[in-house]
Amino acid sequence: MARTVSNAFFGWTWSAVLAGVFASLVVQILLTMLGFGIGLLAIDIPTAVSTPAGAGWAGFVWWAVSGIIAAFIGGAVAAANSPDQTGLGRVGHALAAWAVATVVVVAAAALLPASATSVASNLVGPTYTASARVVALSNAPARETVGASARAPTQAQIDEARKHFAYAMFASFCALLLGAGAAYAAGMATTGRAVAETARPLT
């Protein structure tokens, strides 16, 4: 009796994953530009030393929500283009698109000489500004200016900046998990019937 070999892995294609990645990145970039337009992400690194730590949480909420939306759309595109329209195939492509998009965003922000007001750095989220604030307080103690005189930051200010950075990292971790959940939901929701209905030509 011949042994049946499962062909689940033979239904994999990187073209579907890349389609989801590009769709996710485009949505994320557009929403980040919109965030700049309405002033939620307008925090410069040179002024990050004197900026209150709580000022970045509005930007974080915008980044988290836009990331979840982008992950869902990217996951739906990847799942719709998956040659394997089983649940496992759709979800696998959707999660792969989310993972690749996350790595691309982090790598772009790490490699590019970006400022805190650039689109690339803000795609990473508020952790970029939070880390820049820690570096500015630790390495440039005379940058904080009060009136006409420069004053070195206190150890309490440096500790507060580090604590804020830790909170931002943990919150970003949770937001990325929610993005993975959105990609998973998109993979489950994009059924073969839905794909067929979308691909059917209009008459």
Side-chain angles (χ1 to χ4, degrees):
M1 180 177 179
R3 184 178 179 182
T4 303
V5 180
S6 175
N7 63 347
F9 291 102
F10 294 95
W12 181 269
T13 174
W14 281 104
S15 60
V17 174
L18 292 178
V21 169
F22 281 113
S24 178
L25 291 178
V26 167
V27 172
Q28 185 76 26
I29 290 171
L30 290 176
L31 292 177
T32 300
M33 294 173 69
L34 180 60
F36 275 119
I38 61 181
L40 290 176
L41 302 175
I43 297 177
D44 299 322
I45 283 182
T47 61
V49 177
S50 56
T51 301
W57 288 114
F60 168 77
V61 172
W62 180 266
W63 169 79
V65 172
S66 61
I68 292 171
I69 294 173
F72 183 88
I73 294 176
V77 170
N81 288 279
S82 171
D84 181 6
Q85 282 300 307
T86 64
L88 180 61
R90 298 192 314 269
V91 169
H93 282 78
L95 289 177
W98 165 83
V100 173
T102 301
V103 172
V104 168
V105 167
V106 173
L111 297 177
L112 293 178
S115 67
T117 53
S118 71
V119 175
S121 60
N122 278 277
L123 287 177
V124 182
T127 55
Y128 189 92
T129 303
S131 63
R133 187 167 183 261
V134 173
V135 172
L137 287 171
S138 301
N139 298 337
R143 188 173 293 180
E144 185 179 4
T145 303
V146 179
S149 61
R151 185 182 65 186
T154 63
Q155 185 62 39
Q157 289 177 312
I158 297 176
D159 291 340
E160 179 187 0
R162 290 174 177 170
K163 184 182 295 184
H164 172 64
F165 175 68
Y167 289 153
M169 287 292 289
F170 180 74
S172 298
F173 168 78
C174 295
L176 287 175
L177 286 185
L178 290 176
Y184 177 87
M188 293 300 294
T190 311
T191 61
R193 180 178 179 182
V195 173
E197 290 292 331
T198 304
R200 188 175 60 182
L202 299 176
T203 56

